[in-house]
Amino acid sequence: MAETQRCTHLLADLSDYLDGDAAAEVCAAIERHLAACEDCRVVVDTLSKTVALYHTLPPPDMPDAAQTRLFAALNLDEFSRLYRQ
Ligand SMILES: [Zn+2]
């Protein structure tokens, strides 16, 4: 019965965890939970891949104007400037 509560708690800390900003005990708790919870493993796997893609890879083939609008919509102006260099 506590499983759903634990998932909710974990998801609240997930962005910090993925950014590497979570406290060590939070990371440990998340990793313990992930070992036991396939649903959350899928969520974390998907989110971490998304984050990694945005940080390391150019976006898929996309017209410049659409890319610029997307970055603006996502408030990624800084990121957008990096791509133009
Ligand atoms: Zn879970």
Side-chain angles (χ1 to χ4, degrees), residues 62-69 84:
M62 186 187 292
D64 281 351
Q67 181 179 314
T68 301
R69 284 200 306 275
R84 294 210 190 88

Side-chain angles (χ1 to χ4, degrees), residues 3-4 6-8 10-11 33-34 36-41:
E3 202 56 38
T4 303
R6 288 172 61 200
C7 290
T8 305
L10 180 147
L11 292 172
H33 180 83
L34 292 178
C37 182
E38 185 177 359
D39 287 347
C40 286
R41 274 204 302 278

Side-chain angles (χ1 to χ4, degrees), residues 1-82:
M1 63 115 203
E3 202 56 38
T4 303
Q5 288 180 338
R6 288 172 61 200
C7 290
T8 305
H9 181 71
L10 180 147
L11 292 172
D13 289 325
L14 209 52
S15 65
D16 283 348
Y17 174 72
L18 290 174
D19 288 342
D21 292 335
E25 68 259 30
V26 173
C27 291
I30 287 173
E31 281 158 13
R32 268 200 309 277
H33 180 83
L34 292 178
C37 182
E38 185 177 359
D39 287 347
C40 286
R41 274 204 302 278
V42 171
V43 171
V44 169
D45 191 50
T46 303
L47 280 177
S48 63
K49 280 179 184 158
T50 304
V51 170
L53 281 174
Y54 269 106
H55 282 90
T56 62
L57 294 175
D61 194 15
M62 186 187 292
D64 281 351
Q67 181 179 314
T68 301
R69 284 200 306 275
L70 176 65
F71 284 142
L74 295 173
N75 197 21
L76 291 174
D77 290 348
E78 185 76 22
F79 192 55
S80 178
R81 272 199 296 278
L82 287 175

